[in-house]
Amino acid sequence: MSHFSIFGIRSNRIAVYGALASALGIASGSSIAAPCVSGVPYTTVGANDCQVPAGVTSISVSATGAGGGGGVGKAGAAGAIVTGTISVTPGSNLPLFVGGGGKGFNAGAGGGGSSNVNADAIGNQVIAGGGGGGSSQFGANPTPGLSGPGPGAAGNGGPGGNGNFLGGDGVGGAGGIGNGTGAGGVNPVNSQAGGGGGGFGGGISSGGGGGRGGGSVSAGANISFAVASNGGALQTNGGDGSITLTFTPAPAPQASVACTPSELTDAANQISTCTVTLSLASAQAMDVNLNLPAASPRYSTTCASPITVAANATSASCTITATANTTPGDGDVTAQLSIAAPTLADAYTVSGSPAQVVVKDDDSQAVAGPTPVPSLGVLGLIALSSLLAIFGITRSRRRSA
């Protein structure tokens, strides 16, 4: 994988290009890292990027730079231990890099690699320099460095010893992050130095002096420095670095939704306000996913997914509006709105029941008028009267008989 150095920080070209693309609004297509783990050391040498969990806005970091390798005459220097607190954004990728131990050698040895967290974020980073490589048999003992003054700036190793037969320190090569290729300084007379912290110097003459300790440049809150004990013994590789993150996620808020009123009629100005509510406010704006109402000509909605609850707020609203019409008999319809699962795991939990808004039909069908009673004409009345008269005469005769 291709890397290069920015201000002494060993950087992944792909990561840097991705960051530039992000800043320019260009999609990078890179995959999301695994969630960051609290309290468990990262010890795999190289990149260990992770995703900040929901609810986490600050992380305490303890980074240990790798130890320098042991030379034929002197042991390697230990890396620095740097602790501090950095601010983070939930859901963002947090760059981690664990430095590798310097290689032991039968002359001047290699320096250990720096370990860093968020190294490119100037002002919000933790960088622990690696220890310098041990010298050859006539060289000076490597001296651990903590804050990296002078050549130890920006996480590079301090100078390797450029010694002579008296074993004095001289100008050495500053290495980059990881077990890179920083060269030892050259004595004009007869020797090369051990590599500085963060690089493998690989001095080859018996007069090489020891590398100094790696530099550590960090920024954040509560930054402190100490010395590890991972320098390599004679002709032995130095110990690898490590990174431990510690954080306490805030409890995930519960997300619910309710619509008021829950009944509308299909007339003008019939509007229900639907409110998404979080049980806890978040320091960052939070997107809440919604299952939206089915499309219908009987109502419209301003609700969209996701709906954003502003930072330090607990609610956001949208509306469902009935469509006014005068069509009788088109019945009632129900618009349903509910909370969907979060995009970022554990950002919130779904609470309560779906909200329902019933749009009722208020247009009655026309009622038929009364059926007119059939009437008899003049001739009908005469005929009916005649029949009744005949009927009455007949009954009277029967009674007389």
Side-chain angles (χ1 to χ4, degrees):
M1 183 176 292
S2 178
H3 294 81
F4 65 104
S5 178
I6 298 179
F7 306 120
I9 304 300
R10 182 170 177 264
S11 302
N12 182 311
R13 291 184 186 274
I14 295 175
V16 172
Y17 294 157
L20 292 174
S22 176
L24 296 173
I26 303 172
S28 64
S30 59
S31 59
I32 299 298
C36 297
V37 178
S38 179
V40 179
Y42 289 86
T43 57
T44 300
V45 173
N48 292 262
D49 296 3
C50 62
Q51 184 186 40
V52 179
V56 175
T57 57
S58 66
I59 292 180
S60 296
V61 176
S62 178
T64 300
V72 69
K74 298 293 182 180
I81 300 175
V82 181
T83 60
T85 302
I86 61 174
S87 59
V88 293
T89 301
S92 65
N93 276 16
L94 182 64
L96 310 180
F97 194 94
V98 175
K103 295 181 180 180
F105 201 63
N106 59 4
S114 298
S115 296
N116 68 79
V117 178
N118 220 25
D120 293 330
I122 305 300
N124 190 43
Q125 60 188 195
V126 173
I127 302 174
S135 68
S136 63
Q137 61 186 14
F138 298 115
N141 201 24
T143 303
L146 296 183
S147 58
N156 285 330
N162 194 28
N164 49 36
F165 287 103
L166 299 178
D169 287 340
V171 178
I177 292 175
N179 42 8
T181 58
V186 177
N187 182 288
V189 180
N190 60 6
S191 64
Q192 288 185 329
F200 175 65
I204 58 174
S205 79
S206 61
R212 294 183 188 274
S216 303
V217 175
S218 299
N222 306 315
I223 298 295
S224 63
F225 302 90
V227 182
S229 56
N230 56 1
L234 298 181
Q235 302 183 57
T236 302
N237 294 345
D240 294 333
S242 67
I243 294 172
T244 301
L245 308 177
T246 305
F247 52 84
T248 302
Q254 295 179 334
S256 60
V257 61
C259 297
T260 304
S262 59
E263 288 189 0
L264 305 174
T265 57
D266 52 1
N269 301 318
Q270 290 286 297
I271 302 172
S272 179
T273 299
C274 299
T275 302
V276 173
T277 302
L278 299 177
S279 60
L280 297 170
S282 171
Q284 284 82 31
M286 179 175 292
D287 287 341
V288 178
N289 295 331
L290 299 175
N291 295 312
L292 300 174
S296 172
R298 301 290 304 284
Y299 56 79
S300 61
T301 181
T302 62
C303 299
S305 182
I307 188 171
T308 300
V309 179
N312 302 312
T314 57
S315 64
S317 298
C318 56
T319 60
I320 294 175
T321 303
T323 302
N325 72 69
T326 57
T327 304
D330 53 2
D332 300 343
V333 295
T334 299
Q336 180 168 292
L337 183 67
S338 62
I339 305 294
T343 301
L344 179 61
D346 300 326
Y348 58 83
T349 59
V350 179
S351 176
S353 303
Q356 294 185 335
V357 177
V358 179
V359 179
K360 302 180 75 67
D361 176 22
D362 67 347
D363 304 305
S364 301
Q365 295 186 3
V367 178
T371 303
V373 177
S375 60
L376 297 175
V378 175
L379 293 177
L381 289 174
I382 293 173
L384 179 61
S385 298
S386 299
L387 288 174
L388 290 174
I390 295 170
F391 178 74
I393 293 171
T394 302
R395 288 183 59 85
S396 296
R397 286 178 177 178
R398 289 179 178 174
R399 288 177 180 175
S400 300

